[in-house]
Amino acid sequence: MFILYSTVVLALVAFTIFFTFTALQQVVAMVRAGTPEPLTHQWQDRALSVLVMVFGQKKVLEDRSYGFMHFWYLYGFLILGIGHLELVLFGLTRFTQDFGYHPFLYRHLPFLPATFIHLYEFSQDFMALGVVLVVAFALYRRINGKVARLLPRSKDAETILWLIGGLYVTFFIFVGSETFLRMETGALGYSWHWYLPISSLIALAVAGVSATAVLVINEIGFWLHLGVFLGFACYIPRSKHMHLLAAGPNIYFRHFETVAKPRPIDFEKSEKFGVDRVQELSWKSLLDTFACTECGRCDAVCPAHLTKKPLQPKKILHDIKINLRYKNWNHIKKFRSSWGDSLDGQLEKELAESPNLALVNLEKISANSDLVEADGGYKLEGQIHVDEIWACTTCAACVEVCPVLIDSVPTDIIEMRRNFVMMQAENYPKELNTAFKGMEVQGNPWGVGQDKRQDWAKQLDVPLMADQGDHEVEYLFWVGCAGATDERSKKIQQALVRILKKAQVDFAILGCEEKCTGDPARRMGNEYLYDQLARENVEMLNRKKFKKIFATCPHCFNQLKHEYKDFGGHYSVQHHTELIAELLKDKRLTLDDKKQIEEKITFHDPCYLGRYNKQYEAPRETLKTLPGVTTTEMTFSKEKSFCCGAGGGRMFMEEHLGNRINLERTDQAMATGATTIATGCPFCMTMLSDGVKDRLADEQIKVKDIAELVAERI
Ligand code: SF4
Ligand code: SF4
């Protein structure tokens, strides 16, 4: 009789293994369909990341309430997994009862001491109760729709929660009835047992029910529990819960830069630029989509989303995955691309026929709500609208908060922009052409004559690199396009020159030899133009003699420090706020204590200084030393800083959709009661100054660069 029982269990387990393994194979093939992306070999650091992020739940626990819930899920899953194994082994060995033996149960293992078994039983009961409570709360939060980042409601996420809840409700049916039967047979006393805190309560509660009825309930409990468990295993690789299996590998294969760099293009070999088919994204970007937990933390911090633009980073990842899984799988499995494949005829044909990832030529969408169906769920599922692609400021707020280290959204968006700009020559904001032309012809996006690039330094007696001969200067001062051509930014450069001279720093500028680093072109998808500018600048810089570079623009700073490495430019680079902090600390620069200018200052962290380069303290340390200054922080500061709206080339685009990001940030700064907003970026300066002008007719609040605040006090 029990032979049949065990045979059915065996068949179910074998089916589950086959069904799950097939789905996992498909996921691996889908990830491998992506384009190559080399990784550094740092296996020790990678393994450490997995330990800290997966088992330590470091990022997850940054959000206290959600982190606590997830902690229960993870450790519940791991600890209760020992019990699931027991359940399966029990079913498989039940047939031994036909021969007078006990089926497998841990408590029948003679070498395990009773205390150990009790602790094991307690861990199962206790964790199962915790998971049931956490799941009930999570379902309540999702169903009542009050948590914005969990919207739109996800059927997938709710199905998973019902499955987890079902798993542990059936656990208590099975173990509670079994505990009652153990009491009936005298194996356990009729009382509450600390090691079965819930199950013994259930057993006591059903006292009086006939043993035969409880036996039937016990059998039903077993099959239900086993069924939900095996069903869950089959569902995982087909659902968002694939992150259970993909998060670990994704963290292991992480990028070690704080934000992933856009990939350079080999223009001599490539015929197609950018991405409009999902399989043209890198394999790591595709792995990211399977690791996504759909927790929505990224949406909750995305400045584009929060100002009602049609962009949700979670949706971008979801769409890439849906496009890959359901729209493109038939094309992918025909050629099963492997790393290193060249674009041969078959692959090109498949790419041409496969469904588009980036949607174009549709009516404009104007708000987040336009992306969501009336009954929840996304419209345009599996494809990304052109307005989503151009709404991103590449601020990396989504990267900073992701608990599974997903960093591909801004770089994938740049890849899709490249396709619009370089392949289609349409579907991008036309005002970008002015900036592109300016960079191409005059070396700056405003198109100011290249011969005027050092006009700001007239009468300041600023040394030029060209006049240095064999002298190796201590600092090459990279001025940047805004600093050289924008009237407001020129004042920052002039203030900085005063500081450098006072501190007797050996420095020189490039003057008319300097050109735009190309950062706006790269972020706006014109990699061809960026490539040209980067190569010219690196070639010119490599001929100069200097020890270090500093830049006043965080975008230039980031280019010189990180992205020029791909073009042979390896330099020691500082941001001017770092240099000023260092000069003050080394006492090369002293402040005049008599210049007590009373100001209450809040510092706005530029994204490319803060999140991209993890520099939060240098400007704050300087502010603390300034006579007459008190400081205050915005709610969103440092890692949580809110973009000014200018990054990702958005500085050069009109803001037609949603609310203006710079006004949102200005409001956040004004809410602190500060009299001055300080920053360290010419783009942030423009956006916040415009914000203050919009909000206050009489400009009671000033916006100043750290260099200006220091120069006023020397
Ligand atoms: S990308 Fe990261 S933060 Fe965003 S939903 Fe996915 S797991 Fe959460
Ligand atoms: S980089 Fe910034 S703007 Fe772009 S999706 Fe992420 S959070 Fe939103």
Side-chain angles (χ1 to χ4, degrees):
M1 147 82 183
F2 283 117
I3 289 239
L4 182 60
Y5 184 105
S6 290
T7 309
V8 174
V9 173
L10 179 65
L12 288 175
V13 170
F15 173 80
T16 303
I17 291 172
F18 172 77
F19 200 63
T20 306
F21 184 71
T22 316
L24 283 176
Q25 258 191 323
Q26 274 191 9
V27 170
V28 172
M30 285 184 225
V31 171
R32 285 170 61 93
T35 48
E37 182 184 335
L39 288 174
T40 50
H41 300 284
Q42 290 169 265
W43 73 265
Q44 295 97 329
D45 294 337
R46 294 183 183 285
L48 187 64
S49 295
V50 174
L51 276 178
V52 173
M53 297 294 173
V54 178
F55 296 103
Q57 297 273 282
K58 182 170 179 272
K59 278 268 181 194
V60 177
L61 287 167
E62 280 171 10
D63 175 339
R64 292 273 168 85
S65 61
Y66 171 79
F68 173 74
M69 288 165 67
H70 196 271
F71 196 82
W72 269 103
Y73 290 142
L74 176 75
Y75 281 94
F77 177 76
L78 293 176
I79 291 171
L80 291 161
I82 305 168
H84 295 139
L85 182 65
E86 181 182 37
L87 178 88
V88 170
L89 291 174
F90 171 78
L92 290 173
T93 56
R94 189 87 190 265
F95 74 95
T96 57
Q97 268 181 268
D98 288 345
F99 306 99
Y101 295 102
H102 283 303
F104 180 88
L105 283 172
Y106 293 131
R107 65 172 179 269
H108 293 157
L109 293 174
F111 53 86
L112 289 181
T115 317
F116 186 89
I117 294 295
H118 287 164
L119 286 175
Y120 159 71
E121 288 177 322
F122 175 77
S123 74
Q124 300 294 295
D125 246 43
F126 181 69
M127 291 308 284
L129 175 69
V131 174
V132 168
L133 294 177
V134 166
V135 163
F137 181 63
L139 269 171
Y140 167 77
R141 282 202 323 170
R142 282 191 180 264
I143 291 170
N144 86 0
K146 295 244 167 81
V147 183
R149 71 177 168 83
L150 299 178
L151 293 174
R153 278 179 64 184
S154 158
K155 286 191 193 113
D156 189 21
E158 287 175 22
T159 305
I160 283 156
L161 286 173
W162 284 115
L163 277 172
I164 300 176
L167 193 59
Y168 296 111
V169 168
T170 56
F171 167 87
F172 282 122
I173 296 175
F174 175 56
V175 181
S177 56
E178 193 205 19
T179 305
F180 173 85
L181 294 171
R182 285 167 76 189
M183 289 175 179
E184 282 286 292
T185 56
L188 277 179
Y190 269 110
S191 62
W192 180 80
H193 298 277
W194 70 266
Y195 49 89
L196 290 166
I198 311 304
S199 299
S200 59
L201 276 183
I202 294 171
L204 293 174
V206 297
V209 178
S210 82
T212 318
V214 176
L215 201 59
V216 173
I217 292 170
N218 181 253
E219 289 299 337
I220 293 173
F222 170 82
W223 288 106
L224 283 177
H225 189 44
L226 184 75
V228 179
F229 172 59
L230 297 181
F232 193 44
C234 293
Y235 191 63
I236 284 175
R238 292 168 173 80
S239 72
K240 91 172 187 77
H241 246 58
M242 181 60 209
H243 82 262
L244 272 177
L245 304 172
N250 198 56
I251 289 168
Y252 183 83
F253 291 121
R254 64 177 291 188
H255 295 117
F256 281 96
E257 301 100 12
T258 45
V259 182
K261 285 192 284 188
R263 290 186 292 172
I265 296 175
D266 184 342
F267 284 97
E268 287 187 2
K269 290 194 187 138
S270 310
E271 287 170 11
K272 187 172 177 190
F273 312 126
V275 165
D276 68 346
R277 296 295 190 278
V278 72
Q279 51 280 51
E280 293 165 337
L281 291 170
S282 86
W283 66 268
K284 176 66 176 65
S285 290
L286 300 184
L287 179 59
D288 275 0
T289 68
F290 289 103
C292 178
T293 66
E294 301 195 9
C295 65
R297 288 184 193 201
C298 48
D299 288 357
V301 295
C302 172
H305 178 61
L306 294 173
T307 52
K308 304 195 179 345
K309 293 170 182 58
L311 170 63
Q312 289 173 260
K314 178 176 77 170
K315 179 182 173 294
I316 300 282
L317 289 153
H318 179 79
D319 286 336
I320 293 172
K321 183 168 64 183
I322 296 296
N323 187 293
L324 185 60
R325 236 189 218 287
Y326 301 113
K327 292 182 187 278
N328 252 321
W329 173 234
N330 285 337
H331 294 274
I332 290 166
K333 74 181 174 194
K334 279 193 209 160
F335 62 82
R336 298 265 175 143
S337 163
S338 60
W339 294 326
D341 269 358
S342 62
L343 271 178
D344 59 21
Q346 176 60 14
L347 182 54
E348 275 185 46
K349 190 163 164 283
E350 291 298 340
L351 281 174
E353 285 174 3
S354 62
N356 212 317
L357 174 64
L359 261 188
V360 294
N361 298 330
L362 285 182
E363 278 191 18
K364 289 252 174 212
I365 47 175
S366 56
N368 298 315
S369 53
D370 288 1
L371 293 166
V372 181
E373 299 278 8
D375 61 345
Y378 294 120
K379 286 180 191 169
L380 313 173
E381 204 177 29
Q383 290 180 298
I384 299 166
H385 194 280
V386 63
D387 292 342
E388 296 173 72
I389 292 166
W390 289 106
C392 179
T393 68
T394 68
C395 71
C398 54
V399 175
E400 182 70 43
V401 292
C402 181
V404 289
L405 306 189
I406 289 172
D407 61 0
S408 57
V409 173
T411 36
D412 288 352
I413 283 177
I414 290 170
E415 288 283 6
M416 289 183 261
R417 289 179 178 183
R418 285 176 177 179
N419 194 269
F420 290 150
V421 171
M422 293 190 290
M423 293 299 290
Q424 302 177 23
E426 59 180 352
N427 296 307
Y428 66 88
K430 288 299 165 266
E431 57 268 27
L432 294 192
N433 285 332
T434 313
F436 290 152
K437 192 163 176 214
M439 283 184 268
E440 199 178 326
V441 180
Q442 301 292 358
N444 68 82
W446 290 278
V448 176
Q450 178 71 5
D451 57 334
K452 298 193 170 51
R453 203 163 174 117
Q454 65 194 56
D455 285 5
W456 68 273
K458 273 183 192 162
Q459 284 122 31
L460 288 177
D461 190 24
V462 177
L464 277 173
M465 283 301 292
D467 299 336
Q468 300 303 307
D470 281 341
H471 171 61
E472 184 184 44
V473 292
E474 187 185 0
Y475 280 102
L476 187 153
F477 176 0
W478 185 275
V479 178
C481 300
T485 63
D486 172 69
E487 289 309 318
R488 177 67 186 87
S489 301
K490 284 180 188 176
K491 295 200 173 88
I492 301 169
Q493 314 306 311
Q494 288 155 356
L496 191 52
V497 169
R498 280 187 61 210
I499 293 171
L500 296 170
K501 292 203 166 186
K502 176 92 194 295
Q504 298 184 340
V505 174
D506 175 26
F507 75 99
I509 61 168
L510 288 158
C512 297
E513 286 187 278
E514 184 188 289
K515 281 186 173 177
C516 178
T517 56
D519 179 80
R522 178 167 245 199
R523 263 67 201 178
M524 294 187 294
N526 195 338
E527 183 70 9
Y528 185 74
L529 178 54
Y530 167 75
D531 188 274
Q532 270 184 333
L533 288 165
R535 283 181 201 285
E536 281 175 32
N537 280 325
V538 168
E539 207 231 322
M540 179 268 297
L541 284 170
N542 288 352
R543 279 189 272 115
K544 303 290 177 193
K545 289 193 173 161
F546 57 88
K547 290 194 178 88
K548 299 179 213 167
I549 307 183
F550 73 85
T552 47
C553 169
H555 301 267
C556 300
F557 165 61
N558 188 60
Q559 280 298 330
L560 295 161
K561 188 167 180 174
H562 300 295
E563 301 190 11
Y564 274 15
K565 284 188 182 141
D566 293 335
F567 298 85
H570 299 269
Y571 315 114
S572 168
V573 190
Q574 282 184 306
H575 184 250
H576 73 288
T577 55
E578 294 175 320
L579 174 60
I580 291 172
E582 200 175 282
L583 293 174
L584 286 168
K585 194 167 155 222
D586 296 347
K587 307 234 179 309
R588 286 175 74 182
L589 179 68
T590 48
L591 299 164
D592 184 347
D593 285 340
K594 285 191 232 81
K595 293 194 172 159
Q596 291 268 345
I597 307 165
E598 301 295 323
E599 280 178 284
K600 184 175 175 188
I601 300 180
T602 189
F603 183 73
H604 162 78
D605 294 271
C607 305
Y608 278 70
L609 178 64
R611 277 191 291 267
Y612 276 70
N613 284 286
K614 296 282 166 246
Q615 183 49 271
Y616 301 108
E617 293 312 321
R620 287 178 170 79
E621 278 164 18
T622 298
L623 285 177
K624 276 186 211 143
T625 64
L626 299 183
V629 164
T630 52
T631 56
T632 176
E633 290 288 352
M634 288 181 249
T635 311
F636 300 108
S637 68
K638 299 188 180 177
E639 291 88 350
K640 293 184 188 155
S641 179
F642 193 90
C643 180
C644 70
R650 292 275 343 156
M651 178 81 186
F652 305 99
M653 299 177 220
E654 299 296 334
E655 199 169 345
H656 297 297
L657 306 174
N659 305 327
R660 280 171 53 195
I661 296 177
N662 68 328
L663 294 185
E664 178 67 36
R665 185 55 168 166
T666 305
D667 290 345
Q668 292 170 10
M670 285 168 56
T672 62
T675 56
T676 303
I677 305 169
T679 189
C681 170
F683 289 0
C684 300
M685 170 64 70
T686 303
M687 300 307 268
L688 294 169
S689 300
D690 287 353
V692 170
K693 272 185 214 141
D694 194 279
R695 289 298 192 230
L696 298 171
D698 54 1
E699 288 188 53
Q700 298 140 327
I701 297 179
K702 305 280 175 225
V703 186
K704 296 183 193 171
D705 190 275
I706 292 284
E708 294 176 303
L709 289 160
V710 173
E712 285 167 1
R713 291 168 173 83
I714 56 176

